[in-house]
Amino acid sequence: MTLRRLGLFGGTFDPPHFGHVAALEAAARTNYFDLIEVTVTGDPYLKSARVAIRPAQLRLAMAQLAFGGLDLVEVSDREIRRAGPSYTIDTVRELLDEADHVDVIVGADLAPQIDSWHDAKTLRTLVRVGVVPRPGGSTAVPDGWRSYEIPMNPVDLSSSFIREVDPTPENLEKFIPAPVIPLYLSLQG
């Protein structure tokens, strides 16, 4: 069965946090999607050159623990199985074999950068962009993209912030889903 409309929510998820959960729940409430695929980036080429990234299989396991029980959400290892850098355009092309429409869901912090993504010129002809608001961020995308805002209260949280927090269960429970905490703690040090 071909899915009518699919949402693609990709990321490094190092670690997945309550901001990601809120974005996925808000996207599911829009009724725009038959399924939202959370795709864990195998080689986050734009990020891995700047910061150390945990191995993809560990990030996938954390994402499965964080998002596996959410309505309309399926966690995928699609980009991990592909060799080389993870490009959204490649994932979208694969998904268009399964769905009539693919919308890429991004945070407002990434929306201004989408023109810098690999083969952005083609990507903008294939997808719409659902933008999740972030505190102090604009939900505007560069010219030429079809976009809309996913309604939700902005969550001021990032994975980079969490990586700087003293990794105790008490601290982490404020920021990441409880099932993720034991695995995340096992990766520390």
Side-chain angles (χ1 to χ4, degrees):
M1 179 180 110
T2 299
L3 299 169
R4 218 174 17 79
R5 171 156 291 159
L6 197 144
L8 172 61
F9 188 65
T12 308
F13 305 114
D14 190 17
H17 55 68
F18 288 131
H20 297 132
V21 171
L24 288 164
E25 290 174 338
R29 282 193 303 270
T30 65
N31 293 317
Y32 294 166
F33 309 107
D34 297 303
L35 179 72
I36 301 169
E37 180 174 299
V38 172
T39 302
V40 178
T41 306
D43 175 7
Y45 71 101
L46 289 175
K47 190 179 282 186
S48 60
R50 297 187 329 260
V51 297
I53 305 292
R54 286 185 176 82
Q57 290 297 333
L58 293 174
R59 294 183 286 105
L60 174 66
M62 288 192 290
Q64 289 167 331
L65 291 168
F67 313 132
L70 298 179
D71 287 344
L72 299 182
V73 173
E74 180 179 286
V75 178
S76 170
D77 66 350
R78 172 185 312 270
E79 291 187 358
I80 294 171
R81 288 182 275 124
R82 238 187 342 243
S86 296
Y87 297 127
T88 302
I89 185 75
D90 296 334
T91 303
V92 165
R93 285 183 172 130
E94 287 180 16
L95 292 173
L96 285 170
D97 289 339
E98 305 169 20
D100 296 323
H101 303 281
V102 175
D103 288 6
V104 175
I105 302 167
V106 299
D109 54 327
L110 289 180
Q113 303 170 23
I114 59 177
D115 266 347
S116 69
W117 291 5
H118 182 75
D119 203 2
K121 186 175 179 180
T122 302
L123 183 62
R124 83 170 59 121
T125 68
L126 299 176
V127 300
R128 292 186 330 154
V129 180
V131 182
V132 177
R134 295 282 303 265
S138 167
T139 56
V141 298
D143 289 342
W145 294 84
R146 296 170 292 142
S147 69
Y148 56 92
E149 182 176 332
I150 293 176
M152 66 173 274
N153 292 325
V155 176
D156 191 10
L157 193 54
S158 70
S159 295
S160 58
F161 168 79
I162 295 168
R163 289 191 302 271
E164 299 299 319
V165 168
D166 183 23
T168 66
E170 297 76 24
N171 287 342
L172 295 173
E173 69 187 10
K174 301 172 207 168
F175 307 118
I176 63 178
V180 178
I181 293 173
L183 179 56
Y184 183 74
L185 286 173
S186 75
L187 303 173
Q188 301 306 305

